[in-house]
Amino acid sequence: MDNELNVTYITFDGHVELHKYRYLYFVIMFTAYILIICSNSTIVGIIVINKSLHEPMYIFIAALLINSLLFSTAIYPKLLIDFLSEKQIISYSACLFQWYIYYTLGGSEFFLLSVMAYDRYVSICKPLQYPTIMRKTTVHMFLILAWILPACQISGGPLMSVNTKLCYLILKGIICNSTVQKLHCVTSTVQNIYGLIVFVIAVPLPLLFILFTYTRILIIIYRSSREVRRKAAQTCLPHLLVLINFSCLSTYDVLVGRLETNFPKTVYLIMSLQVILYHPLFNPIIYGLKMKEIYKHLKRLFSQDKLN
């Protein structure tokens, strides 16, 4: 029975002095989780309720924030349980599932950011054709593909790992991501090639596409009036801030999974917390404060609450 337990379960070894700070960790992360749920849900609710925001740009923002909610729900409950548990363990099958969800939703984030960049490109560079290109059916198709494509692309990695023999049962981290592959007895060349192909499709290609669209946008607005430049900045700046933030954290995550790094455990913990904290927590703040129409409805909502 003990042998079966050892084979089946993986121990997280990324926590720093958990026995001493477990309640502090729990309170901080529980507060962050509540803030993520409330802030993202508020912006999504505002977009759903107000018909004036039923435009492709705001629909894609809502989808991005829903993606953040799904991502956080896949990570935080298990993390909070670990903070209060004597042993920070997870079954291998559950670990593979968390790995799958983690990267599927990460891929969806890049896809949605690409679609948002395309939406801004059409809106600014081809304004007369915008209603024809960004129809309701096109928006719905983009939203479906945003979750279906990454789900299919990422599935190969965890499926190939299901029956792989484990030689190590201690995971250097606090969540299950690509570092799970370091627990395997034998490094799979096929799995590495597959992972590299998926990574190129999911990250560099969308980034190149986004850079191309924003280069075109910059060329157009440079030749335009001050009013056009102001409006373009209002809608494009939040998108760029989110993109830069998410790209940097994704790059770190990929490098840690692929390279033999020997950072101190505290550095690993801080970076891991940034990966799961930053974009779910700051996306609604960036879009809520920087997007004029959303901010206007937010201000009105909180003004009504004060009056009541």
Side-chain angles (χ1 to χ4, degrees):
M1 188 69 182
D2 288 338
N3 187 41
E4 184 182 344
L5 188 70
N6 289 336
V7 172
T8 307
Y9 284 85
I10 294 166
T11 301
F12 291 117
D13 188 41
H15 299 280
V16 177
E17 296 192 48
L18 185 59
H19 62 284
K20 189 176 180 181
Y21 298 114
R22 66 171 70 247
Y23 296 111
L24 178 63
Y25 285 148
F26 180 85
V27 170
I28 292 171
M29 297 308 290
F30 182 74
T31 304
Y33 187 39
I34 295 299
L35 286 172
I36 287 167
I37 292 172
C38 293
S39 57
N40 284 278
S41 299
T42 300
I43 304 293
V44 171
I46 285 172
I47 292 169
V48 171
I49 292 168
N50 294 281
K51 290 185 177 180
S52 62
L53 299 179
H54 290 185
E55 297 176 10
M57 177 174 66
Y58 299 110
I59 291 170
F60 292 138
I61 289 173
L64 194 72
L65 300 184
I66 290 170
N67 200 67
S68 293
L69 282 170
L70 294 172
F71 177 86
S72 299
T73 303
I75 300 296
Y76 279 79
K78 171 58 180 165
L79 196 60
L80 292 171
I81 291 169
D82 283 342
F83 288 144
L84 299 180
S85 302
E86 288 302 316
K87 292 183 179 180
Q88 292 69 51
I89 60 172
I90 187 170
S91 68
Y92 184 52
S93 57
C95 191
L96 290 178
F97 181 71
Q98 190 180 65
W99 171 23
Y100 172 67
I101 296 297
Y102 180 84
Y103 286 109
T104 294
L105 296 175
S108 298
E109 185 110 353
F110 272 112
F111 191 98
L112 288 168
L113 289 170
S114 301
V115 171
M116 291 167 74
Y118 177 69
D119 174 71
R120 292 300 83 213
Y121 166 73
V122 176
S123 175
I124 294 168
C125 302
K126 300 180 180 181
L128 298 178
Q129 299 175 44
Y130 185 81
T132 307
I133 296 172
M134 298 303 293
R135 293 173 297 176
K136 276 188 177 180
T137 51
T138 307
V139 173
H140 292 157
M141 182 188 71
F142 280 145
L143 292 176
I144 292 168
L145 288 175
W147 282 293
I148 296 294
L149 277 181
C152 294
Q153 290 169 356
I154 302 298
S155 61
L159 285 174
M160 283 189 277
S161 298
V162 169
N163 296 316
T164 304
K165 187 179 178 182
L166 302 180
C167 282
Y168 308 97
L169 299 172
I170 297 176
L171 189 67
K172 198 175 182 180
I174 58 173
I175 57 174
C176 291
N177 51 22
S178 60
T179 53
V180 172
Q181 292 175 301
K182 292 183 177 181
L183 304 180
H184 298 165
C185 295
V186 180
T187 303
S188 171
T189 305
V190 174
Q191 196 166 351
N192 282 336
I193 293 170
Y194 178 82
L196 186 62
I197 292 169
V198 170
F199 169 72
V200 170
I201 294 171
V203 182
L205 285 182
L207 279 176
L208 288 172
F209 175 76
I210 293 168
L211 289 173
F212 169 76
T213 56
Y214 272 94
T215 302
R216 295 289 301 160
I217 289 170
L218 286 171
I219 292 169
I220 293 294
I221 64 174
Y222 179 75
R223 301 169 183 169
S224 304
S225 63
R226 183 180 295 178
E227 181 64 19
V228 172
R229 288 199 294 268
R230 186 183 64 82
K231 287 183 178 179
Q234 282 181 349
T235 57
C236 293
L237 184 60
H239 183 68
L240 282 172
L241 288 173
V242 170
L243 175 67
I244 292 166
N245 171 49
F246 190 65
S247 298
C248 291
L249 292 173
S250 299
T251 301
Y252 160 78
D253 185 78
V254 170
L255 288 175
V256 166
R258 295 286 170 184
L259 301 177
E260 292 295 330
T261 52
N262 291 308
F263 295 132
K265 190 185 284 189
T266 305
V267 174
Y268 270 115
L269 178 64
I270 291 170
M271 291 305 296
S272 296
L273 291 176
Q274 286 186 49
V275 170
I276 63 175
L277 271 172
Y278 270 16
H279 70 100
L281 196 56
F282 291 119
N283 283 7
I285 296 172
I286 291 170
Y287 286 117
L289 296 178
K290 292 292 183 181
M291 299 297 287
K292 188 178 177 182
E293 288 300 311
I294 295 177
Y295 179 70
K296 184 174 71 178
H297 287 288
L298 266 175
K299 197 174 178 181
R300 188 181 300 167
L301 174 68
F302 287 108
S303 297
Q304 288 175 351
D305 288 342
K306 285 180 181 179
L307 289 173
N308 293 332

mmCIF file of all heavy atoms in Angstrom, residues 23-65:
data_model
loop_
_atom_site.group_PDB
_atom_site.id
_atom_site.type_symbol
_atom_site.label_atom_id
_atom_site.label_comp_id
_atom_site.label_asym_id
_atom_site.label_seq_id
_atom_site.Cartn_x
_atom_site.Cartn_y
_atom_site.Cartn_z
ATOM 1 N N TYR A 23 -0.474 30.059 7.611
ATOM 2 C CA TYR A 23 -1.699 30.858 7.744
ATOM 3 C C TYR A 23 -1.562 32.206 7.041
ATOM 4 O O TYR A 23 -2.525 32.731 6.488
ATOM 5 C CB TYR A 23 -2.062 31.049 9.220
ATOM 6 C CG TYR A 23 -2.403 29.738 9.898
ATOM 7 C CD1 TYR A 23 -1.560 29.197 10.877
ATOM 8 C CD2 TYR A 23 -3.549 29.042 9.537
ATOM 9 C CE1 TYR A 23 -1.851 27.986 11.475
ATOM 10 C CE2 TYR A 23 -3.855 27.824 10.141
ATOM 11 C CZ TYR A 23 -3.002 27.300 11.098
ATOM 12 O OH TYR A 23 -3.296 26.094 11.675
ATOM 13 N N LEU A 24 -0.358 32.750 7.043
ATOM 14 C CA LEU A 24 -0.109 34.000 6.318
ATOM 15 C C LEU A 24 -0.257 33.773 4.816
ATOM 16 O O LEU A 24 -0.911 34.557 4.124
ATOM 17 C CB LEU A 24 1.293 34.520 6.638
ATOM 18 C CG LEU A 24 1.728 35.810 5.916
ATOM 19 C CD1 LEU A 24 0.823 36.972 6.312
ATOM 20 C CD2 LEU A 24 3.189 36.135 6.224
ATOM 21 N N TYR A 25 0.349 32.676 4.315
ATOM 22 C CA TYR A 25 0.202 32.318 2.903
ATOM 23 C C TYR A 25 -1.275 32.153 2.545
ATOM 24 O O TYR A 25 -1.740 32.642 1.520
ATOM 25 C CB TYR A 25 0.929 30.994 2.601
ATOM 26 C CG TYR A 25 2.430 31.089 2.530
ATOM 27 C CD1 TYR A 25 3.228 30.001 2.917
ATOM 28 C CD2 TYR A 25 3.073 32.229 2.076
ATOM 29 C CE1 TYR A 25 4.619 30.059 2.855
ATOM 30 C CE2 TYR A 25 4.457 32.296 2.010
ATOM 31 C CZ TYR A 25 5.225 31.215 2.400
ATOM 32 O OH TYR A 25 6.590 31.286 2.335
ATOM 33 N N PHE A 26 -1.985 31.434 3.404
ATOM 34 C CA PHE A 26 -3.400 31.153 3.139
ATOM 35 C C PHE A 26 -4.207 32.445 3.053
ATOM 36 O O PHE A 26 -4.998 32.633 2.115
ATOM 37 C CB PHE A 26 -3.981 30.252 4.225
ATOM 38 C CG PHE A 26 -5.434 29.913 4.010
ATOM 39 C CD1 PHE A 26 -5.801 28.852 3.194
ATOM 40 C CD2 PHE A 26 -6.430 30.679 4.601
ATOM 41 C CE1 PHE A 26 -7.141 28.543 2.980
ATOM 42 C CE2 PHE A 26 -7.775 30.382 4.393
ATOM 43 C CZ PHE A 26 -8.127 29.307 3.579
ATOM 44 N N VAL A 27 -4.035 33.334 4.012
ATOM 45 C CA VAL A 27 -4.808 34.585 4.047
ATOM 46 C C VAL A 27 -4.506 35.445 2.808
ATOM 47 O O VAL A 27 -5.425 35.984 2.169
ATOM 48 C CB VAL A 27 -4.502 35.382 5.341
ATOM 49 C CG1 VAL A 27 -5.097 36.790 5.266
ATOM 50 C CG2 VAL A 27 -5.060 34.641 6.557
ATOM 51 N N ILE A 28 -3.217 35.556 2.456
ATOM 52 C CA ILE A 28 -2.828 36.370 1.291
ATOM 53 C C ILE A 28 -3.421 35.801 0.006
ATOM 54 O O ILE A 28 -4.037 36.530 -0.792
ATOM 55 C CB ILE A 28 -1.285 36.459 1.173
ATOM 56 C CG1 ILE A 28 -0.717 37.286 2.333
ATOM 57 C CG2 ILE A 28 -0.883 37.084 -0.164
ATOM 58 C CD1 ILE A 28 0.797 37.259 2.424
ATOM 59 N N MET A 29 -3.270 34.494 -0.204
ATOM 60 C CA MET A 29 -3.747 33.891 -1.447
ATOM 61 C C MET A 29 -5.265 33.782 -1.494
ATOM 62 O O MET A 29 -5.872 33.907 -2.560
ATOM 63 C CB MET A 29 -3.111 32.510 -1.638
ATOM 64 C CG MET A 29 -1.597 32.556 -1.796
ATOM 65 S SD MET A 29 -1.030 33.720 -3.072
ATOM 66 C CE MET A 29 -1.585 32.873 -4.535
ATOM 67 N N PHE A 30 -5.897 33.558 -0.341
ATOM 68 C CA PHE A 30 -7.365 33.530 -0.303
ATOM 69 C C PHE A 30 -7.926 34.907 -0.630
ATOM 70 O O PHE A 30 -8.901 35.031 -1.388
ATOM 71 C CB PHE A 30 -7.845 33.079 1.084
ATOM 72 C CG PHE A 30 -9.349 32.985 1.193
ATOM 73 C CD1 PHE A 30 -10.039 31.939 0.596
ATOM 74 C CD2 PHE A 30 -10.067 33.953 1.892
ATOM 75 C CE1 PHE A 30 -11.426 31.858 0.687
ATOM 76 C CE2 PHE A 30 -11.437 33.883 1.985
ATOM 77 C CZ PHE A 30 -12.125 32.828 1.386
ATOM 78 N N THR A 31 -7.294 35.954 -0.066
ATOM 79 C CA THR A 31 -7.707 37.335 -0.374
ATOM 80 C C THR A 31 -7.533 37.631 -1.859
ATOM 81 O O THR A 31 -8.409 38.229 -2.492
ATOM 82 C CB THR A 31 -6.876 38.344 0.459
ATOM 83 O OG1 THR A 31 -7.019 38.033 1.845
ATOM 84 C CG2 THR A 31 -7.338 39.772 0.195
ATOM 85 N N ALA A 32 -6.399 37.199 -2.418
ATOM 86 C CA ALA A 32 -6.137 37.403 -3.852
ATOM 87 C C ALA A 32 -7.182 36.688 -4.699
ATOM 88 O O ALA A 32 -7.676 37.241 -5.690
ATOM 89 C CB ALA A 32 -4.737 36.894 -4.203
ATOM 90 N N TYR A 33 -7.536 35.463 -4.310
ATOM 91 C CA TYR A 33 -8.531 34.676 -5.057
ATOM 92 C C TYR A 33 -9.899 35.359 -5.041
ATOM 93 O O TYR A 33 -10.579 35.446 -6.070
ATOM 94 C CB TYR A 33 -8.623 33.278 -4.459
ATOM 95 C CG TYR A 33 -9.488 32.319 -5.240
ATOM 96 C CD1 TYR A 33 -9.492 32.316 -6.637
ATOM 97 C CD2 TYR A 33 -10.300 31.403 -4.582
ATOM 98 C CE1 TYR A 33 -10.277 31.420 -7.348
ATOM 99 C CE2 TYR A 33 -11.087 30.502 -5.288
ATOM 100 C CZ TYR A 33 -11.076 30.522 -6.670
ATOM 101 O OH TYR A 33 -11.861 29.640 -7.375
ATOM 102 N N ILE A 34 -10.302 35.865 -3.873
ATOM 103 C CA ILE A 34 -11.584 36.577 -3.754
ATOM 104 C C ILE A 34 -11.568 37.838 -4.618
ATOM 105 O O ILE A 34 -12.543 38.151 -5.321
ATOM 106 C CB ILE A 34 -11.881 36.948 -2.274
ATOM 107 C CG1 ILE A 34 -12.066 35.682 -1.437
ATOM 108 C CG2 ILE A 34 -13.118 37.838 -2.186
ATOM 109 C CD1 ILE A 34 -13.211 34.789 -1.869
ATOM 110 N N LEU A 35 -10.447 38.576 -4.581
ATOM 111 C CA LEU A 35 -10.310 39.781 -5.407
ATOM 112 C C LEU A 35 -10.382 39.447 -6.896
ATOM 113 O O LEU A 35 -11.003 40.172 -7.683
ATOM 114 C CB LEU A 35 -8.991 40.493 -5.101
ATOM 115 C CG LEU A 35 -8.914 41.258 -3.777
ATOM 116 C CD1 LEU A 35 -7.487 41.745 -3.521
ATOM 117 C CD2 LEU A 35 -9.883 42.432 -3.769
ATOM 118 N N ILE A 36 -9.747 38.347 -7.283
ATOM 119 C CA ILE A 36 -9.776 37.910 -8.692
ATOM 120 C C ILE A 36 -11.203 37.600 -9.120
ATOM 121 O O ILE A 36 -11.661 38.047 -10.178
ATOM 122 C CB ILE A 36 -8.861 36.672 -8.889
ATOM 123 C CG1 ILE A 36 -7.395 37.094 -8.831
ATOM 124 C CG2 ILE A 36 -9.148 35.985 -10.220
ATOM 125 C CD1 ILE A 36 -6.426 35.928 -8.709
ATOM 126 N N ILE A 37 -11.926 36.850 -8.289
ATOM 127 C CA ILE A 37 -13.307 36.483 -8.614
ATOM 128 C C ILE A 37 -14.183 37.733 -8.710
ATOM 129 O O ILE A 37 -14.929 37.907 -9.675
ATOM 130 C CB ILE A 37 -13.874 35.509 -7.560
ATOM 131 C CG1 ILE A 37 -13.157 34.156 -7.655
ATOM 132 C CG2 ILE A 37 -15.379 35.322 -7.749
ATOM 133 C CD1 ILE A 37 -13.514 33.198 -6.538
ATOM 134 N N CYS A 38 -14.078 38.607 -7.715
ATOM 135 C CA CYS A 38 -14.933 39.803 -7.667
ATOM 136 C C CYS A 38 -14.625 40.781 -8.797
ATOM 137 O O CYS A 38 -15.541 41.268 -9.472
ATOM 138 C CB CYS A 38 -14.779 40.502 -6.314
ATOM 139 S SG CYS A 38 -15.424 39.549 -4.932
ATOM 140 N N SER A 39 -13.338 41.074 -9.017
ATOM 141 C CA SER A 39 -12.966 42.079 -10.023
ATOM 142 C C SER A 39 -13.276 41.603 -11.443
ATOM 143 O O SER A 39 -13.858 42.340 -12.242
ATOM 144 C CB SER A 39 -11.481 42.441 -9.890
ATOM 145 O OG SER A 39 -10.667 41.290 -10.015
ATOM 146 N N ASN A 40 -12.892 40.362 -11.742
ATOM 147 C CA ASN A 40 -13.163 39.841 -13.087
ATOM 148 C C ASN A 40 -14.658 39.695 -13.342
ATOM 149 O O ASN A 40 -15.149 40.045 -14.419
ATOM 150 C CB ASN A 40 -12.464 38.482 -13.283
ATOM 151 C CG ASN A 40 -10.976 38.613 -13.520
ATOM 152 O OD1 ASN A 40 -10.520 38.870 -14.622
ATOM 153 N ND2 ASN A 40 -10.188 38.449 -12.462
ATOM 154 N N SER A 41 -15.383 39.188 -12.338
ATOM 155 C CA SER A 41 -16.836 39.007 -12.485
ATOM 156 C C SER A 41 -17.554 40.345 -12.645
ATOM 157 O O SER A 41 -18.533 40.436 -13.394
ATOM 158 C CB SER A 41 -17.401 38.262 -11.269
ATOM 159 O OG SER A 41 -16.828 36.994 -11.153
ATOM 160 N N THR A 42 -17.076 41.363 -11.949
ATOM 161 C CA THR A 42 -17.697 42.697 -12.045
ATOM 162 C C THR A 42 -17.585 43.252 -13.455
ATOM 163 O O THR A 42 -18.577 43.728 -14.028
ATOM 164 C CB THR A 42 -17.043 43.676 -11.049
ATOM 165 O OG1 THR A 42 -17.205 43.177 -9.727
ATOM 166 C CG2 THR A 42 -17.684 45.057 -11.145
ATOM 167 N N ILE A 43 -16.375 43.192 -14.040
ATOM 168 C CA ILE A 43 -16.182 43.706 -15.402
ATOM 169 C C ILE A 43 -16.998 42.896 -16.400
ATOM 170 O O ILE A 43 -17.656 43.466 -17.288
ATOM 171 C CB ILE A 43 -14.689 43.681 -15.801
ATOM 172 C CG1 ILE A 43 -13.833 44.463 -14.814
ATOM 173 C CG2 ILE A 43 -14.513 44.225 -17.222
ATOM 174 C CD1 ILE A 43 -14.071 45.942 -14.789
ATOM 175 N N VAL A 44 -16.992 41.572 -16.258
ATOM 176 C CA VAL A 44 -17.769 40.714 -17.164
ATOM 177 C C VAL A 44 -19.259 41.035 -17.027
ATOM 178 O O VAL A 44 -19.973 41.148 -18.030
ATOM 179 C CB VAL A 44 -17.524 39.218 -16.866
ATOM 180 C CG1 VAL A 44 -18.492 38.330 -17.649
ATOM 181 C CG2 VAL A 44 -16.083 38.834 -17.210
ATOM 182 N N GLY A 45 -19.733 41.204 -15.791
ATOM 183 C CA GLY A 45 -21.138 41.543 -15.551
ATOM 184 C C GLY A 45 -21.529 42.859 -16.187
ATOM 185 O O GLY A 45 -22.612 42.986 -16.788
ATOM 186 N N ILE A 46 -20.657 43.863 -16.070
ATOM 187 C CA ILE A 46 -20.919 45.183 -16.676
ATOM 188 C C ILE A 46 -21.045 45.052 -18.190
ATOM 189 O O ILE A 46 -21.934 45.641 -18.803
ATOM 190 C CB ILE A 46 -19.796 46.175 -16.294
ATOM 191 C CG1 ILE A 46 -19.970 46.625 -14.841
ATOM 192 C CG2 ILE A 46 -19.788 47.391 -17.225
ATOM 193 C CD1 ILE A 46 -18.827 47.451 -14.309
ATOM 194 N N ILE A 47 -20.153 44.266 -18.794
ATOM 195 C CA ILE A 47 -20.187 44.092 -20.259
ATOM 196 C C ILE A 47 -21.450 43.347 -20.688
ATOM 197 O O ILE A 47 -22.068 43.691 -21.702
ATOM 198 C CB ILE A 47 -18.923 43.339 -20.735
ATOM 199 C CG1 ILE A 47 -17.688 44.228 -20.537
ATOM 200 C CG2 ILE A 47 -19.034 42.945 -22.209
ATOM 201 C CD1 ILE A 47 -16.361 43.521 -20.729
ATOM 202 N N VAL A 48 -21.853 42.348 -19.910
ATOM 203 C CA VAL A 48 -23.052 41.561 -20.248
ATOM 204 C C VAL A 48 -24.322 42.391 -20.100
ATOM 205 O O VAL A 48 -25.209 42.348 -20.966
ATOM 206 C CB VAL A 48 -23.138 40.291 -19.357
ATOM 207 C CG1 VAL A 48 -24.484 39.592 -19.531
ATOM 208 C CG2 VAL A 48 -22.009 39.324 -19.693
ATOM 209 N N ILE A 49 -24.414 43.149 -19.026
ATOM 210 C CA ILE A 49 -25.645 43.906 -18.719
ATOM 211 C C ILE A 49 -25.849 45.090 -19.656
ATOM 212 O O ILE A 49 -26.969 45.355 -20.103
ATOM 213 C CB ILE A 49 -25.616 44.394 -17.254
ATOM 214 C CG1 ILE A 49 -25.730 43.194 -16.306
ATOM 215 C CG2 ILE A 49 -26.737 45.394 -16.976
ATOM 216 C CD1 ILE A 49 -25.424 43.512 -14.860
ATOM 217 N N ASN A 50 -24.775 45.815 -19.987
ATOM 218 C CA ASN A 50 -24.901 47.035 -20.785
ATOM 219 C C ASN A 50 -24.811 46.734 -22.278
ATOM 220 O O ASN A 50 -23.760 46.313 -22.768
ATOM 221 C CB ASN A 50 -23.806 48.037 -20.391
ATOM 222 C CG ASN A 50 -23.980 48.535 -18.966
ATOM 223 O OD1 ASN A 50 -24.799 49.399 -18.702
ATOM 224 N ND2 ASN A 50 -23.203 47.976 -18.053
ATOM 225 N N LYS A 51 -25.907 46.950 -22.982
ATOM 226 C CA LYS A 51 -25.963 46.656 -24.423
ATOM 227 C C LYS A 51 -25.004 47.528 -25.231
ATOM 228 O O LYS A 51 -24.571 47.148 -26.306
ATOM 229 C CB LYS A 51 -27.389 46.837 -24.937
ATOM 230 C CG LYS A 51 -28.353 45.769 -24.434
ATOM 231 C CD LYS A 51 -29.724 45.901 -25.066
ATOM 232 C CE LYS A 51 -30.645 44.774 -24.584
ATOM 233 N NZ LYS A 51 -31.990 44.895 -25.193
ATOM 234 N N SER A 52 -24.671 48.708 -24.699
ATOM 235 C CA SER A 52 -23.735 49.593 -25.399
ATOM 236 C C SER A 52 -22.333 48.987 -25.481
ATOM 237 O O SER A 52 -21.510 49.406 -26.299
ATOM 238 C CB SER A 52 -23.671 50.957 -24.699
ATOM 239 O OG SER A 52 -23.190 50.807 -23.364
ATOM 240 N N LEU A 53 -22.069 47.980 -24.629
ATOM 241 C CA LEU A 53 -20.759 47.321 -24.618
ATOM 242 C C LEU A 53 -20.775 45.987 -25.371
ATOM 243 O O LEU A 53 -19.810 45.236 -25.319
ATOM 244 C CB LEU A 53 -20.295 47.091 -23.180
ATOM 245 C CG LEU A 53 -20.103 48.341 -22.314
ATOM 246 C CD1 LEU A 53 -19.669 47.956 -20.908
ATOM 247 C CD2 LEU A 53 -19.096 49.300 -22.933
ATOM 248 N N HIS A 54 -21.880 45.718 -26.063
ATOM 249 C CA HIS A 54 -21.970 44.469 -26.827
ATOM 250 C C HIS A 54 -21.317 44.635 -28.196
ATOM 251 O O HIS A 54 -21.927 44.390 -29.242
ATOM 252 C CB HIS A 54 -23.431 44.023 -26.968
ATOM 253 C CG HIS A 54 -24.027 43.557 -25.676
ATOM 254 N ND1 HIS A 54 -25.285 43.025 -25.570
ATOM 255 C CD2 HIS A 54 -23.503 43.541 -24.406
ATOM 256 C CE1 HIS A 54 -25.523 42.708 -24.306
ATOM 257 N NE2 HIS A 54 -24.461 43.026 -23.579
ATOM 258 N N GLU A 55 -20.066 45.040 -28.163
ATOM 259 C CA GLU A 55 -19.248 45.182 -29.368
ATOM 260 C C GLU A 55 -18.110 44.169 -29.294
ATOM 261 O O GLU A 55 -17.724 43.738 -28.191
ATOM 262 C CB GLU A 55 -18.673 46.599 -29.458
ATOM 263 C CG GLU A 55 -19.728 47.683 -29.583
ATOM 264 C CD GLU A 55 -19.121 49.073 -29.570
ATOM 265 O OE1 GLU A 55 -17.864 49.178 -29.655
ATOM 266 O OE2 GLU A 55 -19.874 50.049 -29.457
ATOM 267 N N PRO A 56 -17.539 43.773 -30.434
ATOM 268 C CA PRO A 56 -16.483 42.752 -30.426
ATOM 269 C C PRO A 56 -15.359 43.028 -29.435
ATOM 270 O O PRO A 56 -14.920 42.117 -28.711
ATOM 271 C CB PRO A 56 -15.971 42.778 -31.870
ATOM 272 C CG PRO A 56 -17.162 43.173 -32.670
ATOM 273 C CD PRO A 56 -17.907 44.148 -31.808
ATOM 274 N N MET A 57 -14.887 44.278 -29.360
ATOM 275 C CA MET A 57 -13.770 44.614 -28.472
ATOM 276 C C MET A 57 -14.087 44.263 -27.024
ATOM 277 O O MET A 57 -13.264 43.638 -26.328
ATOM 278 C CB MET A 57 -13.443 46.103 -28.585
ATOM 279 C CG MET A 57 -12.337 46.570 -27.638
ATOM 280 S SD MET A 57 -11.848 48.280 -27.895
ATOM 281 C CE MET A 57 -13.344 49.139 -27.412
ATOM 282 N N TYR A 58 -15.275 44.627 -26.556
ATOM 283 C CA TYR A 58 -15.652 44.378 -25.164
ATOM 284 C C TYR A 58 -16.008 42.909 -24.937
ATOM 285 O O TYR A 58 -15.779 42.383 -23.838
ATOM 286 C CB TYR A 58 -16.814 45.291 -24.772
ATOM 287 C CG TYR A 58 -16.459 46.753 -24.872
ATOM 288 C CD1 TYR A 58 -17.022 47.569 -25.859
ATOM 289 C CD2 TYR A 58 -15.551 47.327 -23.992
ATOM 290 C CE1 TYR A 58 -16.685 48.907 -25.969
ATOM 291 C CE2 TYR A 58 -15.197 48.671 -24.084
ATOM 292 C CZ TYR A 58 -15.769 49.455 -25.088
ATOM 293 O OH TYR A 58 -15.423 50.768 -25.183
ATOM 294 N N ILE A 59 -16.563 42.258 -25.939
ATOM 295 C CA ILE A 59 -16.864 40.818 -25.830
ATOM 296 C C ILE A 59 -15.575 40.027 -25.658
ATOM 297 O O ILE A 59 -15.499 39.102 -24.844
ATOM 298 C CB ILE A 59 -17.646 40.334 -27.068
ATOM 299 C CG1 ILE A 59 -19.052 40.952 -27.064
ATOM 300 C CG2 ILE A 59 -17.749 38.805 -27.091
ATOM 301 C CD1 ILE A 59 -19.835 40.744 -28.346
ATOM 302 N N PHE A 60 -14.537 40.405 -26.408
ATOM 303 C CA PHE A 60 -13.243 39.722 -26.282
ATOM 304 C C PHE A 60 -12.607 39.993 -24.926
ATOM 305 O O PHE A 60 -11.946 39.119 -24.347
ATOM 306 C CB PHE A 60 -12.300 40.148 -27.410
ATOM 307 C CG PHE A 60 -12.726 39.684 -28.768
ATOM 308 C CD1 PHE A 60 -12.638 40.534 -29.872
ATOM 309 C CD2 PHE A 60 -13.229 38.404 -28.965
ATOM 310 C CE1 PHE A 60 -13.032 40.106 -31.129
ATOM 311 C CE2 PHE A 60 -13.629 37.968 -30.218
ATOM 312 C CZ PHE A 60 -13.530 38.815 -31.303
ATOM 313 N N ILE A 61 -12.789 41.206 -24.398
ATOM 314 C CA ILE A 61 -12.288 41.520 -23.050
ATOM 315 C C ILE A 61 -12.984 40.639 -22.022
ATOM 316 O O ILE A 61 -12.337 40.076 -21.125
ATOM 317 C CB ILE A 61 -12.500 43.017 -22.719
ATOM 318 C CG1 ILE A 61 -11.544 43.889 -23.540
ATOM 319 C CG2 ILE A 61 -12.292 43.278 -21.221
ATOM 320 C CD1 ILE A 61 -11.795 45.377 -23.406
ATOM 321 N N ALA A 62 -14.311 40.488 -22.156
ATOM 322 C CA ALA A 62 -15.074 39.629 -21.249
ATOM 323 C C ALA A 62 -14.571 38.185 -21.317
ATOM 324 O O ALA A 62 -14.412 37.520 -20.288
ATOM 325 C CB ALA A 62 -16.566 39.692 -21.588
ATOM 326 N N ALA A 63 -14.304 37.720 -22.537
ATOM 327 C CA ALA A 63 -13.792 36.349 -22.717
ATOM 328 C C ALA A 63 -12.428 36.180 -22.049
ATOM 329 O O ALA A 63 -12.145 35.149 -21.426
ATOM 330 C CB ALA A 63 -13.705 36.026 -24.206
ATOM 331 N N LEU A 64 -11.590 37.206 -22.168
ATOM 332 C CA LEU A 64 -10.258 37.168 -21.556
ATOM 333 C C LEU A 64 -10.358 37.083 -20.035
ATOM 334 O O LEU A 64 -9.619 36.337 -19.391
ATOM 335 C CB LEU A 64 -9.474 38.418 -21.959
ATOM 336 C CG LEU A 64 -7.966 38.413 -21.691
ATOM 337 C CD1 LEU A 64 -7.245 37.485 -22.662
ATOM 338 C CD2 LEU A 64 -7.398 39.827 -21.814
ATOM 339 N N LEU A 65 -11.301 37.831 -19.466
ATOM 340 C CA LEU A 65 -11.470 37.832 -18.014
ATOM 341 C C LEU A 65 -12.110 36.526 -17.525
ATOM 342 O O LEU A 65 -11.779 36.046 -16.432
ATOM 343 C CB LEU A 65 -12.323 39.033 -17.585
ATOM 344 C CG LEU A 65 -11.742 40.417 -17.946
ATOM 345 C CD1 LEU A 65 -12.608 41.530 -17.389
ATOM 346 C CD2 LEU A 65 -10.320 40.565 -17.439
#
